[in-house]
């Protein structure tokens, strides 16, 4: 009840009495949303005794930097410098995001606002593609990569990631909400399809674009499969693969658990940085973009 | 604002019909194809063709030798028969997935609508709250959830302070356990609801305040304006979210079926052929879940309007 009541009281000057309720509910729930981060950070600083303690503890009691020292030692010993893997990851992830955004927004624009033969078929096909488990196509993908001749190149990291039906799906849903009148009006003013796409459509669906970018980043940044299946050359492999091998190579379970904890934190830091940078744009209300 | 939208609505409708239609249509169909062609190419190479190969392999016994290369032996429906009638691991896991998803998805959708409505309020620290609720989008992974589970991060019962204060309020032990386990489940489901929240929030922000104002002047109670205005406005997006959530749950790393498929790829007696048949059957199960949920929400949305 009270939820809606305050919807109707516009621009409350002070904190309204009803709103304490919202704050309480949101606060409690958001505490639980914070749990994963608290856990990752805590986990990385745990000494061995706490990593293997029974019953397991959630919070760290005696934080150490030991795990970090281990990680640095191990990476100093390996043949290829860690910076190489970082570069590989950054390079491929950036390209994947840019190309995915371009391809899927172009396709989504066509599917949503242009009329051409076979449009409905494509629409259905994309929604169906969404529902087939990626594993269903993962098995023969290796053969295709080999036949295309991009085995053991950067392209093998990038190209398979570009076919992401979920990106087109989300973008199309947002573009469907942009009124046709707006598109027609700008066409009346002499804008061609490309111009409408670039100057009208893309700015309007910015929140969706950023969302897709974040989803793509996550998929690409954490992807260690392409390194292990499509790569032979060690110097072309990416950071998540490197982290996995470090943990596996460390030889004993104790060091491995510590390394895994730090690796989790290291892989997670770019995620949170990117998110904080982009969060403004994700939550930019669509109301301000003139779609209303 | 109002005059602008009026202009946009009236002008094109008057001018449009006669002159531009024909030439525009044929031109548009070509640009349409042009716009979508990069996707078509990628789709054919990395989706349609692999899918065809998977179907092909599921009817074969696949083996790989260093000298002989890939060899396929036609076995007909044998792979499917083994999965459905001889070996039980997939059937049991698929049943669990089916029931679980059918129960979880409506809860996730309801939770995310409620949270989206809450986040759309004028509250203090709105930005921080929004940030927190979108966080799972970027950090949720199967590995992390397993890790947290083993270290007791997801259970309230591990936290003695909360448990004891609950016992203070509620005397019965069973009731306390019921409450805590329900709460744990809800928290888990909340982590899956980040993208649905995002989608609902975007559509909530498009509802103009004038509608609520008009409704309240006509004497509508807040309760009824939630059911009559807010819900119908966000309802069209429910089926979108249903598809997204089911696909997400099905592909999530902790899902046991995915590991069954990956393992049977390397299992000597099963190999790629069996794994392909598994993944096709799994996709069909997923399609069935989506079909049930989609049509049960879809028909209501048309009735509501």
């Amino acid at each position: 009840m009270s939820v809606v009541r305050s919807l109707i009281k516009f621009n409350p000057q002070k904190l309204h009495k009803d709103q304490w309720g919202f704050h309480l509910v949101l606060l409690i729930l958001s505490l639980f949303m914070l749990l994963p981060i608290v856990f990752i950070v805590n986990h990385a600083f745990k000494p061995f005794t706490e990593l293997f303690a029974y019953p397991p503890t959630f919070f760290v009691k005696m934080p150490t930097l030991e795990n970090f020292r281990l990680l640095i030692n191990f990476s100093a010993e390996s043949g290829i410098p860690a910076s190489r893997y970082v570069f590989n990851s950054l390079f491929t992830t950036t390209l994947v995001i840019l190309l995915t955004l371009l391809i899927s927004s172009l396709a989504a624009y066509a599917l949503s606002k242009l009329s051409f033969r076979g449009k409905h078929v494509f629409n259905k096909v994309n929604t169906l593609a969404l529902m087939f488990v990626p594993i269903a196509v993962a098995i023969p993908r290796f053969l295709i990569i080999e036949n295309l001749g991009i085995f053991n190149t950067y392209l093998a990291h990038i190209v398979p990631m570009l076919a992401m039906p979920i990106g087109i799906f989300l973008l199309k849903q947002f573009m469907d909400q942009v009124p046709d009148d707006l598109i027609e009006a700008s066409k009346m003013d002499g804008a061609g399809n490309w111009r409408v796409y670039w100057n009208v459509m893309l700015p309007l669906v910015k929140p969706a674009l950023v969302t897709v970018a974040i989803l793509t980043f996550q998929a690409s940044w954490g992807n260690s499969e392409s390194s292990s299946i499509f790569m032979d050359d060690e110097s072309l492999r990416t950071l998540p693969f490197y982290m996995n091998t470090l943990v596996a190579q460390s030889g004993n379970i104790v060091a491995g658990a510590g390394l895994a904890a730090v690796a989790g934190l290291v892989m997670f830091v770019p995620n949170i940085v990117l998110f904080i940078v982009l969060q403004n744009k994700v939550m930019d209300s669509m109301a301000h973009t003139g779609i209303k | 604002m109002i005059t602008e939208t009026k202009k946009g609505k009236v002008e094109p409708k008057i001018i449009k019909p006669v002159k531009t239609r024909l030439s525009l249509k044929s031109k548009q169909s070509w640009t349409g194809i042009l716009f979508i062609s990069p996707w078509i190419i990628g789709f054919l190479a990395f989706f349609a063709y692999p899918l065809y190969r998977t179907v092909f392999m599921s009817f074969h016994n696949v083996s790989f030798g260093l000298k002989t290369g890939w060899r396929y032996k036609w076995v007909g429906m044998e792979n499917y028969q083994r999965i459905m009638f001889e070996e039980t691991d997939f059937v049991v896991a698929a049943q669990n997935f089916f029931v679980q998803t059918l129960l979880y998805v409506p809860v996730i959708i309801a939770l995310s609508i409620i949270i989206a409505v809450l986040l759309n309020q004028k509250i203090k620290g709105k930005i921080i709250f929004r940030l927190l609720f979108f966080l799972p989008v970027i950090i949720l992974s199967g590995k992390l959830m397993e890790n947290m589970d083993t270290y007791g991060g997801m259970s309230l019962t591990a936290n003695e302070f909360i448990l004891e204060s609950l016992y203070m309020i509620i005397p019965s032990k069973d009731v306390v356990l019921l409450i805590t386990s329900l709460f744990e489940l809800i928290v888990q489901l909340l982590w899956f609801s980040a993208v649905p929240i995002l989608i609902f929030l975007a559509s909530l922000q498009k509802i103009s305040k004038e509608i609520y104002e008009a409704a309240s002047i006509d004497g509508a109670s807040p309760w009824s304006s939630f059911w009559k205005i807010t819900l119908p406005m966000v309802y069209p997006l429910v089926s979108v979210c249903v598809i997204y959530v089911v696909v997400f749950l099905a592909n999530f790393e902790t899902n046991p079926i995915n590991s069954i498929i990956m393992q049977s790829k390397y299992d000597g007696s099963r190999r790629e052929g069996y794994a392909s048949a598994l993944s096709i059957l799994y996709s069909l199960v997923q399609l069935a879940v989506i079909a049930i949920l989609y049509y049960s929400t879809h028909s209501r949305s048309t009735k509501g309007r």
Side-chain angles (χ1 to χ4, degrees):
Chain A
M1 284 287 272
S2 57
V3 173
V4 192
R5 194 181 304 141
S6 84
L7 257 180
I8 292 166
K9 281 178 185 136
F10 311 102
N11 304 323
Q13 293 298 313
K14 277 185 215 156
L15 203 58
H16 195 267
K17 201 178 76 191
D18 286 346
Q19 291 183 311
W20 286 110
F22 304 149
H23 276 90
L24 201 69
V25 173
L26 284 176
L27 251 171
I28 293 171
L29 288 177
S30 56
L31 276 181
F32 282 91
M33 306 306 264
L34 263 178
L35 272 182
I37 297 182
V38 175
F39 175 75
I40 293 177
V41 175
N42 264 300
H43 203 53
F45 289 98
K46 279 179 190 164
F48 297 145
T49 47
E50 279 178 49
L51 280 172
F52 290 94
Y54 189 86
T57 53
F58 186 72
F59 292 106
V60 59
K61 286 186 188 106
M62 297 173 62
T64 62
L65 286 173
E66 209 165 334
N67 295 329
F68 291 88
R69 214 173 299 133
L70 254 179
L71 182 76
I72 292 166
N73 284 346
F74 268 104
S75 59
E77 280 170 20
S78 68
I80 293 160
S83 55
R84 175 81 202 182
Y85 296 100
V86 175
F87 168 78
N88 286 348
S89 270
L90 283 179
F91 178 69
T92 53
T93 305
T94 319
L95 272 181
V96 166
I97 292 175
L98 290 180
L99 287 174
T100 303
L101 283 184
L102 186 71
I103 292 175
S104 46
S105 62
L106 276 173
Y109 176 65
L111 287 176
S112 171
K113 293 296 172 206
L114 298 180
S115 57
F116 56 93
R117 204 179 276 178
K119 177 177 156 179
H120 295 287
V121 179
F122 286 130
N123 250 332
K124 287 251 159 61
V125 165
N126 186 56
T127 320
L128 269 178
L130 198 74
M131 295 169 203
F132 273 92
V133 215
I135 287 181
V137 292
I139 298 164
R141 259 190 193 173
F142 174 77
L143 295 174
I144 292 161
I145 295 283
E146 226 174 12
N147 289 338
L148 283 176
I150 56 172
F151 181 76
N152 223 356
T153 61
Y154 277 122
L155 280 177
H157 279 307
I158 298 164
V159 178
M161 301 290 298
L162 297 181
M164 198 170 105
I166 196 92
I168 297 183
F169 180 71
L170 284 181
L171 279 175
K172 187 186 164 282
Q173 295 304 327
F174 273 77
M175 286 185 183
D176 281 346
Q177 299 192 337
V178 176
D180 289 338
D181 304 337
L182 201 69
I183 308 292
E184 270 170 41
S186 36
K187 279 189 180 157
M188 285 302 132
D189 289 345
N193 266 323
W194 295 99
R195 235 196 124 114
V196 173
Y197 161 74
W198 192 258
N199 288 353
V200 180
M201 196 48 115
L202 286 193
L204 284 182
V205 295
K206 218 180 199 173
L209 281 177
V210 177
T211 313
V212 173
I214 288 177
L215 289 176
T216 321
F217 173 84
Q218 238 211 329
S220 172
W221 180 254
N223 176 23
S224 64
E225 261 170 40
S226 64
S227 292
S228 57
I229 303 175
F230 305 143
M231 297 292 148
D232 254 351
D233 194 345
E234 190 61 37
S235 63
L236 286 177
R237 291 180 163 159
T238 53
L239 195 61
F241 180 83
Y242 177 63
M243 289 297 177
N244 286 346
T245 47
L246 267 191
V247 173
Q249 273 171 10
S250 65
N252 63 58
I253 300 170
V254 180
L259 277 178
V262 183
L265 182 64
V266 171
M267 289 303 293
F268 157 75
V269 167
N271 274 335
I272 192 95
V273 170
L274 185 88
F275 188 67
I276 290 173
V277 171
L278 289 180
Q279 55 86 15
N280 260 321
K281 273 151 197 138
V282 180
M283 286 145 236
D284 221 2
S285 66
M286 303 267 288
H288 297 304
T289 51
I291 302 182
K292 244 182 186 177
Chain B
M1 197 75 232
I2 297 163
T3 48
E4 260 181 41
T5 46
K6 258 187 190 162
K7 243 195 227 163
K9 254 179 202 160
V10 177
E11 265 186 11
K13 269 181 191 158
I14 298 169
I15 309 167
K16 201 179 74 181
V18 200
K19 210 180 163 188
T20 45
R21 261 264 160 102
L22 266 177
S23 65
L24 211 81
K25 207 175 183 181
S26 64
K27 214 177 134 193
Q28 249 194 2
S29 81
W30 279 111
T31 20
I33 298 288
L34 202 64
F35 267 92
I36 206 173
S37 57
W39 175 71
I40 294 177
I41 296 166
F43 180 80
L44 288 178
F46 288 96
F47 198 86
Y49 180 70
L51 194 63
Y52 157 74
R53 292 298 296 184
T54 310
V55 174
F56 170 82
M57 271 152 80
S58 71
F59 292 109
H60 288 73
N61 202 346
V62 184
S63 58
F64 181 76
L66 274 180
K67 277 184 190 160
T68 50
W70 293 93
R71 274 204 298 200
Y72 305 98
K73 198 179 127 223
W74 173 260
V75 291
M77 298 297 285
E78 199 194 288
N79 283 328
Y80 290 98
Q81 237 165 26
R82 271 178 70 192
I83 296 168
M84 298 297 287
F85 303 114
E86 287 164 33
E87 282 151 40
T88 50
D89 53 352
F90 173 77
V91 178
V92 172
Q95 278 170 353
N96 285 342
F97 167 77
F98 189 80
V99 175
Q100 219 174 39
T101 324
L102 276 186
L103 292 177
Y104 280 3
V105 173
V107 181
I108 291 177
I109 301 285
L111 269 178
S112 42
I113 291 181
I114 292 170
I115 291 172
V117 170
L118 285 179
L119 287 177
N120 201 29
Q121 307 293 309
K122 281 214 158 80
I123 47 172
K124 266 194 181 163
K126 187 154 122 181
I127 293 170
I128 295 168
F129 279 129
R130 288 185 178 181
L131 199 103
L132 283 176
F133 280 96
F134 297 132
L135 263 179
V137 179
I138 59 156
I139 46 174
L140 198 63
S141 74
K143 221 179 178 179
L144 178 67
M145 273 180 83
E146 267 169 34
N147 247 337
M148 283 188 60
D149 208 15
T150 49
Y151 286 93
M154 311 222 288
S155 69
L156 274 177
T157 36
N159 190 329
E160 279 170 30
F161 171 71
I162 295 177
L163 210 59
E164 253 162 44
S165 43
L166 269 175
Y167 281 134
M168 294 269 283
I169 307 166
I170 309 157
S172 161
K173 207 166 187 178
D174 294 331
V175 176
V176 170
L177 278 181
L178 184 76
I179 290 173
T180 52
S181 53
L182 253 180
F183 197 75
E184 278 160 27
L185 184 68
I186 285 178
V187 167
Q188 262 193 60
L189 293 183
L190 258 182
W191 285 339
F192 290 117
S193 58
V195 172
I197 291 176
L198 197 80
I199 294 174
F200 286 128
L201 196 59
S203 78
L204 278 178
Q205 284 171 338
K206 283 181 14 191
I207 307 175
S208 67
K209 278 184 183 145
E210 284 90 31
I211 300 179
Y212 289 108
E213 208 168 354
S216 76
I217 288 169
D218 287 348
S221 76
W223 187 240
S224 66
S225 71
F226 172 77
W227 288 102
K228 297 262 164 68
I229 300 171
T230 314
L231 212 54
M233 291 295 249
V234 297
Y235 207 86
L237 286 167
V238 167
S239 35
V240 177
C241 290
V242 162
I243 295 176
Y244 180 85
V245 172
V246 174
V247 172
F248 186 80
L249 284 176
N251 298 331
F252 199 66
E253 291 149 81
T254 50
N255 199 323
I257 302 178
N258 285 334
S259 53
I260 291 179
I261 295 175
M262 283 319 276
Q263 277 160 18
S264 33
K265 219 172 116 182
Y266 303 107
D267 188 330
S269 70
R270 292 181 161 181
R271 296 308 308 246
E272 280 85 350
Y274 189 93
S276 305
L278 272 180
S279 51
I280 284 170
L281 282 177
Y282 185 30
S283 300
L284 292 180
V285 170
Q286 198 185 325
L287 270 176
V289 175
I290 289 176
I292 293 172
L293 287 168
Y294 184 83
Y295 284 108
S296 58
T297 53
H298 207 66
S299 58
R300 254 191 71 198
S301 87
T302 43
K303 231 187 280 165
R305 266 183 244 155

